[in-house]
Structures are given as C-alpha cells and as structure tokens.
Amino acid sequence: MLTITQALVDQIVAHARKDHPDEACGVVAGPAGSDRPERFIPMLNAAMSPTFYEFDSGDLLKLYREMDDRDEEPVVIYHSHTATEAYPSRTDISYANEPGAHYVLVSTADTDGAGEFQFRSFRIVEGEVTEEEVEIVEAYRAG
C-alpha cells in the first residue's frame, strides 16, 4: 500500500494538469528504507510527448546523486497518461527499474466516466504489475 499526503497528491495532479497535453513525470523522494514519500521533484519530460515520457538522462543522474547525498531513495515515480486510463503501458513496464518504488499514474483523460482524474499506484517488479491501495493522509504519523 502507498501512504501519501494530500499535499503531495495535489502537487502531482497539478503537475499533470500543467503539462497536459504532454505527459508529466517526476519523483517523490523519501528517506532511504522508510517507504515514506516526502520530497516532490517534478522532472522535465524530455520526450515532450502526449504518449510517453522520458526522464532527461542528465537530470536523472543529477537527481540520483542528490538523493544519494541526502540518504534518500525514489519512493514514488509518477507520470501522467493524457488520453488513456491510469495503468502502466508496455513501455512503462519496460522502463520500470526500481523494484522498491511505487509507480503512480495520473490520468488527465476522462476514460471511465468517473471524472477527469484517476490517481493509481502500482508495483512493477520484473515485468509484473500489481495495483496497490492508496491511502491519502493529511500528515504522516510520527515514528
């Protein structure tokens, strides 16, 4: 299960809305080993595409060095789908190389009649996709 604050959900959704019709992408880093997303890091979609995303390799290298220096890891890796439901595509699955991360997808398309946005989280390990529950909290519990 992904536990995430409402403030982070709002930032991810705002980024997806801002970059629409292109896919938005980014990372939420947290203390190594904590599984707690804390630091919102919007990234540039180097592909500038409405159908797929790509982190800029230089930006990504810089981010990983920064996280390493801060004893952080990518807890959430997010991106948006602009015309389809919030479910990982074959390309998304092939790019998923962080088995410990939560892969969050936000859809900016109304594909299910349930309104404009879907916010879903998945684990992707060795090509296997498992949807997980998302618990949105106002703040994390201490400890």
Side-chain angles (χ1 to χ4, degrees), residues 23 81-87 106-109 111 118:
E23 289 192 5
H81 280 181
T82 60
T84 58
E85 71 170 330
Y87 190 85
V106 174
S107 175
T108 54
T111 56
Q118 295 175 340

Side-chain angles (χ1 to χ4, degrees), residues 27-32 39 41 43 59-77 98:
V27 172
V28 184
R39 190 165 64 96
I41 307 154
M43 302 283 283
D59 289 349
L60 201 57
L61 181 62
K62 187 173 153 228
L63 171 64
Y64 271 82
R65 284 184 175 147
E66 186 180 289
M67 286 190 299
D68 202 41
D69 290 346
R70 296 171 65 127
D71 200 25
E72 292 176 329
E73 62 190 6
V75 178
V76 169
I77 298 172
E98 286 287 349

